[in-house]
Amino acid sequence: MTTTGEDHATGRGGPWWWERWRSAALDVGLAAASAGECAFEGIRFARDAGIPLAAGVVFGVLAGSALLVRRQWPIAVVLVSIAITPAQMGYLMGIVGLYTLAASELPRRIIGSLAGMSLVGMLIVMFVRVQQDMAHGDWKLGDWFVPFAAITIAIGMTAPPLLLGLYVGARRRLMESLRERADSLERELQLLAERAEERAEWARGEERTRIAREMHDVVAHRVSLMVVHAAALQAVARKDPEKAVKNAALVGDMGRQALTELREMLGVLRSGDGGVRRPSEQAAAVPLAAVGVAAAVAASRAVDEGEGPCLSELEELVGQSAAAGMVVDLSVEGETRLYAAEIEQTAYRVVQEALTNVHKHAAGAKTYVRVAHRVSEIAMQVENEPPPEVASASSARLPSGGNGLVGMKERVTGLGGVFVSGPTDAGGFRVSAVIPAA
């Protein structure tokens, strides 16, 4: 984890404008040293100016103490050092003030102007002082030494703190920029992680819905037919033993078909990449955002490999319902052709679920199944007449979960098709769906 800009800004622990006590102690020490230097140099200034020594000392202490506010007002500190330069005092304050000014966030033109003023002031003072020292000395070096010494000393006391301050300020700004960039990247990563979690949760929800729809389509139809045949078997067990044996065989076939389809679906859900991993290894090996995608690919593998039902099995599906006592009329229009596996499976499931609903809610009603192969789409319609009152009274009382129509609509609209269902004017029920062929 990085130290965020907010934490850095609220991490102040020093008094007044200082961020830390260590910075305050450093500035107090520098101000004390500068005050001592200016007080010592104020004695000579008082003698030269002809004022009391106490006044020179007090003046030096007050001027040198200005270094205490160098972090808050660096311009004021540099101006004070320039102002007392003619008195030949405040050299430490000038050096530290220039460093602080160059390291601050002030515009470069202000820094350059104050640095130039300090350089000129120091040059004039050093020129006068060196000339005075040579006039009172016993050694002679020539007239060239005075400007050389003045320029060298002025540049030596101005350029190093200025350059060092510029370097430290640039480095500080670079570190702050890197810290802000790291904070921004951390926030972006956190946002991406949250979005990935949301996408994974959405994918898991979609996959749960899809698995529930598949399980409903596989189980509901087969089990409904088994219940219908079991009811018929109970009714004719004593009157017509041969028909009872036939119905019992049909019930067994239905159960085996339901188990086969369930086994195939569970096999697809359990299939992996060739090895069994511990949950911790799976979580570490698969990114969170890919969980939903992997689940969707695994569940759709049966469709892609052609293992699901297809339109060529519609006659068998209708025959099973007819064997259960339903009067079913199947009509196919257009030229039969092959479609994508997912389209054929969806069309098959729509007809299957519609027939299942007829078994549940309109037992004994005559049903019409129409399939039309068009140029760019396939259409199907399952419509039943009103059930006879006798058949309704003796129906097998199949339970209804209320998810069949919802599942059919999700399947069709997921492929870009149109699904419509509702009662007819004659008292029956109609289910219609149109699925694009591409």
Side-chain angles (χ1 to χ4, degrees):
M1 295 293 290
T2 61
T3 303
T4 60
E6 291 80 0
D7 296 339
H8 182 72
T10 57
R12 298 176 181 271
W16 296 333
W17 57 81
W18 287 287
E19 295 182 357
R20 295 182 296 270
W21 282 98
R22 184 175 61 183
S23 301
L26 176 61
D27 289 353
V28 170
L30 290 174
S34 178
E37 176 202 358
C38 291
F40 178 76
E41 293 171 346
I43 298 176
R44 185 176 59 178
F45 171 72
R47 291 174 180 172
D48 295 340
I51 60 176
L53 295 180
V57 172
V58 171
F59 175 75
V61 170
L62 293 178
S65 299
L67 200 58
L68 190 65
V69 297
R70 69 182 185 93
R71 297 178 189 267
Q72 191 73 3
W73 298 291
I75 296 179
V77 174
V78 175
L79 289 176
V80 171
S81 67
I82 295 174
I84 63 174
T85 299
Q88 298 183 6
M89 65 173 62
Y91 299 111
L92 176 62
M93 182 170 58
I95 294 174
V96 178
L98 282 177
Y99 164 79
T100 306
L101 179 69
S104 65
E105 301 292 336
L106 293 172
R108 293 295 178 86
R109 62 179 182 275
I110 297 178
I111 297 175
S113 300
L114 292 177
M117 293 170 58
S118 178
L119 176 63
V120 173
M122 187 67 65
L123 180 62
I124 296 174
V125 171
M126 288 296 106
F127 185 86
V128 174
R129 185 168 180 176
V130 172
Q131 192 174 26
Q132 291 176 353
D133 292 341
M134 289 188 63
H136 293 87
D138 297 332
W139 41 275
K140 301 293 184 180
L141 296 175
D143 296 336
W144 61 271
F145 182 76
V146 175
F148 173 77
I151 294 174
T152 303
I153 295 174
I155 294 177
M157 296 185 66
T158 304
L162 181 65
L163 296 177
L164 180 60
L166 291 175
Y167 167 76
V168 172
R171 184 176 179 274
R172 184 184 301 158
R173 286 188 291 271
L174 176 62
M175 295 301 295
E176 291 178 357
S177 175
L178 293 177
R179 184 184 296 110
E180 292 177 358
R181 185 175 300 179
D183 296 338
S184 176
L185 289 176
E186 184 177 359
R187 287 191 294 268
E188 290 180 2
L189 288 175
Q190 184 177 2
L191 181 60
L192 289 175
E194 292 175 357
R195 290 181 178 177
E197 180 67 27
E198 292 176 358
R199 288 195 297 268
E201 185 63 29
W202 175 83
R204 285 193 290 266
E206 288 291 319
E207 193 55 32
R208 284 194 294 267
T209 303
R210 180 174 182 173
I211 293 174
R213 187 167 59 241
E214 292 286 344
M215 297 291 289
H216 176 273
D217 292 342
V218 169
V219 174
H221 181 73
R222 303 295 183 189
V223 175
S224 298
L225 292 180
M226 290 171 62
V227 174
V228 172
H229 282 294
L233 177 63
Q234 184 180 4
V236 301
R238 296 181 179 179
K239 298 179 181 180
D240 193 348
E242 293 183 1
K243 189 174 182 180
V245 172
K246 183 178 179 181
N247 287 340
L250 288 175
V251 171
D253 292 339
M254 295 294 177
R256 281 187 290 272
Q257 290 175 2
L259 288 176
T260 300
E261 292 188 14
L262 284 174
R263 189 178 296 111
E264 290 177 356
M265 182 178 298
L266 294 176
V268 171
L269 294 176
R270 287 179 178 272
S271 63
D273 53 357
V276 179
R277 297 181 179 177
R278 294 191 298 270
S280 60
E281 294 177 349
Q282 292 177 351
V286 182
L288 184 61
V291 172
V293 178
V297 172
S300 63
R301 195 176 304 160
V303 179
D304 298 335
E305 294 177 359
E307 297 178 1
C310 56
L311 290 175
S312 61
E313 302 176 7
L314 278 181
E315 293 185 3
E316 181 182 356
L317 178 66
V318 172
Q320 293 174 354
S321 296
M326 180 188 296
V327 180
V328 189
D329 181 18
L330 173 63
S331 63
V332 180
E333 300 177 1
E335 183 179 356
T336 303
R337 62 183 186 273
L338 294 177
Y339 299 94
E342 192 171 9
I343 295 177
E344 294 211 6
Q345 182 181 7
T346 301
Y348 180 92
R349 293 300 189 193
V350 169
V351 177
Q352 182 187 56
E353 180 60 27
L355 292 177
T356 302
N357 287 339
V358 175
H359 282 293
K360 290 182 179 180
H361 307 291
K366 186 174 181 179
T367 306
Y368 302 91
V369 179
R370 301 181 181 90
V371 178
H373 299 275
R374 300 169 183 170
V375 177
S376 59
E377 61 187 15
I378 176 173
M380 64 228 56
Q381 179 178 293
V382 179
E383 180 179 351
N384 63 275
E385 297 179 351
E389 297 182 358
V390 176
S392 301
S394 60
S395 62
R397 298 179 182 179
L398 293 170
S400 176
N403 297 318
L405 294 177
V406 176
M408 285 190 286
K409 185 175 182 179
E410 290 177 350
R411 284 180 178 275
V412 174
T413 55
L415 296 177
V418 179
F419 178 85
V420 179
S421 63
T424 62
D425 296 336
F429 199 84
R430 181 187 298 116
V431 173
S432 302
V434 178
I435 303 175

